[in-house]
Amino acid sequence: MAVLASVRASLFSLSKRLLQPSVTTLFLYSLVAFTLLSGGVIYDVIVKPPGMGEYVDSNGRFRPQPFMEGPLNGQYILEGLVSAFLFAFGGVGFILLDTVPDKTRTVFQRNAVFVVALGMVLIAYIALRVFMGIKLSEYLVW
């Protein structure tokens, strides 16, 4: 009887560990869900826009157009996914900035994390400003 109880307890603890994901796993799932939802996946499923647009240049050739210029309520699939990736990239940069004052790291490691995190935030910010400048040509003029 004691053996059966021991096996049952070990199986219960094993199933409990398998059913409870780690904090990192939950964070990654929520980050992917945020990226997809802010990228407009629901909009893309309902409206079914093209992946990229195209325009005719002065020589009569078709050129790719990654951003739908003009309307804010319309987007190409690539435009939404790249913008969402940049939002997530900047968000991860802010999360890394939050880990900089960790005393278990050396000064060099803290400075390296600070530089990388600040670079991620600045890259995301500048790229998103450029994207908005392309989307609306008179918006956020430098």
Side-chain angles (χ1 to χ4, degrees):
M1 191 59 115
V3 174
L4 182 62
S6 171
V7 169
R8 187 181 309 157
S10 65
L11 285 177
F12 178 72
S13 67
L14 179 66
S15 67
K16 188 176 179 183
R17 279 185 277 144
L18 289 177
L19 292 176
Q20 184 177 5
S22 68
V23 175
T24 307
T25 305
L26 288 176
F27 169 72
L28 289 177
Y29 286 156
S30 61
L31 183 67
V32 168
F34 165 76
T35 303
L36 291 176
L37 289 176
S38 65
V41 171
I42 295 173
Y43 170 83
D44 294 339
V45 168
I46 294 171
V47 178
K48 295 184 177 77
M52 285 180 67
E54 57 185 23
Y55 69 97
V56 180
D57 65 359
S58 59
N59 296 329
R61 295 187 207 140
F62 287 100
R63 299 285 181 186
Q65 182 181 15
F67 293 98
M68 185 182 292
E69 296 177 8
L72 275 178
N73 61 347
Q75 70 180 19
Y76 296 129
I77 294 174
L78 183 66
E79 173 185 358
L81 291 179
V82 169
S83 298
F85 170 76
L86 285 171
F87 276 118
F89 190 72
V92 170
F94 277 117
I95 291 170
L96 285 176
L97 276 175
D98 187 48
T99 65
V100 167
D102 186 12
K103 297 293 183 189
T104 61
R105 294 186 176 138
T106 65
V107 174
F108 175 76
Q109 289 173 335
R110 282 186 280 181
N111 289 338
V113 169
F114 177 74
V115 168
V116 168
L118 191 64
M120 289 172 71
V121 170
L122 288 176
I123 287 170
Y125 176 74
I126 292 170
L128 287 168
R129 283 209 41 161
V130 168
F131 287 178
M132 278 304 290
I134 293 170
K135 183 87 171 153
L136 299 171
S137 58
E138 297 299 319
Y139 186 71
L140 294 176
V141 178
W142 293 71

